[in-house]
Short mmCIF file of all heavy atoms in Angstrom, two decimals:
data_model
loop_
_atom_site.label_atom_id
_atom_site.label_comp_id
_atom_site.label_asym_id
_atom_site.label_seq_id
_atom_site.Cartn_x
_atom_site.Cartn_y
_atom_site.Cartn_z
N CYS B 216 -26.82 7.62 10.24
CA CYS B 216 -27.92 6.70 10.59
C CYS B 216 -27.85 6.31 12.06
O CYS B 216 -28.88 6.20 12.74
CB CYS B 216 -27.86 5.45 9.71
SG CYS B 216 -28.32 5.76 8.00
N GLY B 217 -26.63 6.10 12.56
CA GLY B 217 -26.45 5.75 13.97
C GLY B 217 -26.94 6.86 14.89
O GLY B 217 -27.65 6.60 15.87
N ILE B 218 -26.57 8.10 14.58
CA ILE B 218 -27.00 9.24 15.39
C ILE B 218 -28.53 9.35 15.36
O ILE B 218 -29.17 9.53 16.41
CB ILE B 218 -26.34 10.54 14.88
CG1 ILE B 218 -24.83 10.50 15.11
CG2 ILE B 218 -26.94 11.77 15.58
CD1 ILE B 218 -24.05 11.57 14.37
N GLY B 219 -29.11 9.18 14.16
CA GLY B 219 -30.57 9.24 14.02
C GLY B 219 -31.24 8.14 14.83
O GLY B 219 -32.24 8.39 15.53
N ALA B 220 -30.68 6.92 14.76
CA ALA B 220 -31.27 5.79 15.49
C ALA B 220 -31.19 6.01 17.00
O ALA B 220 -32.13 5.68 17.74
CB ALA B 220 -30.55 4.49 15.10
N GLY B 221 -30.08 6.59 17.45
CA GLY B 221 -29.93 6.89 18.88
C GLY B 221 -30.98 7.90 19.34
O GLY B 221 -31.63 7.71 20.38
N LEU B 222 -31.14 8.97 18.56
CA LEU B 222 -32.14 9.99 18.90
C LEU B 222 -33.54 9.41 18.91
O LEU B 222 -34.33 9.69 19.81
CB LEU B 222 -32.06 11.13 17.88
CG LEU B 222 -30.98 12.19 18.10
CD1 LEU B 222 -30.89 13.13 16.91
CD2 LEU B 222 -31.27 12.99 19.37
N ALA B 223 -33.84 8.57 17.88
CA ALA B 223 -35.17 7.96 17.79
C ALA B 223 -35.44 7.08 19.00
O ALA B 223 -36.54 7.08 19.56
CB ALA B 223 -35.29 7.16 16.49
N THR B 224 -34.43 6.32 19.43
CA THR B 224 -34.59 5.45 20.60
C THR B 224 -34.83 6.28 21.86
O THR B 224 -35.66 5.94 22.70
CB THR B 224 -33.32 4.59 20.79
OG1 THR B 224 -33.01 3.96 19.55
CG2 THR B 224 -33.54 3.54 21.87
N GLU B 225 -34.10 7.40 21.95
CA GLU B 225 -34.27 8.29 23.11
C GLU B 225 -35.70 8.84 23.17
O GLU B 225 -36.32 8.83 24.22
CB GLU B 225 -33.25 9.43 23.00
CG GLU B 225 -33.27 10.38 24.19
CD GLU B 225 -32.40 11.61 23.96
OE1 GLU B 225 -31.32 11.46 23.38
OE2 GLU B 225 -32.83 12.71 24.35
N VAL B 226 -36.19 9.28 22.01
CA VAL B 226 -37.54 9.84 21.93
C VAL B 226 -38.58 8.77 22.27
O VAL B 226 -39.51 9.00 23.04
CB VAL B 226 -37.81 10.43 20.53
CG1 VAL B 226 -39.29 10.81 20.38
CG2 VAL B 226 -36.93 11.66 20.31
N ALA B 227 -38.39 7.55 21.70
CA ALA B 227 -39.34 6.46 21.93
C ALA B 227 -39.38 6.05 23.40
O ALA B 227 -40.41 5.58 23.90
CB ALA B 227 -38.98 5.26 21.05
N GLY B 228 -38.26 6.21 24.10
CA GLY B 228 -38.18 5.78 25.49
C GLY B 228 -38.75 6.79 26.48
O GLY B 228 -38.83 6.52 27.67
N GLN B 229 -39.10 7.99 25.98
CA GLN B 229 -39.56 9.03 26.90
C GLN B 229 -41.05 8.95 27.21
O GLN B 229 -41.83 8.52 26.39
CB GLN B 229 -39.26 10.43 26.32
CG GLN B 229 -37.81 10.83 26.57
CD GLN B 229 -37.38 12.05 25.77
OE1 GLN B 229 -38.13 12.51 24.91
NE2 GLN B 229 -36.18 12.53 26.02
#
Side-chain angles (χ1 to χ4, degrees):
Chain B
C216 289
I218 293 166
L222 278 171
T224 310
E225 183 188 321
V226 171
Q229 278 168 352

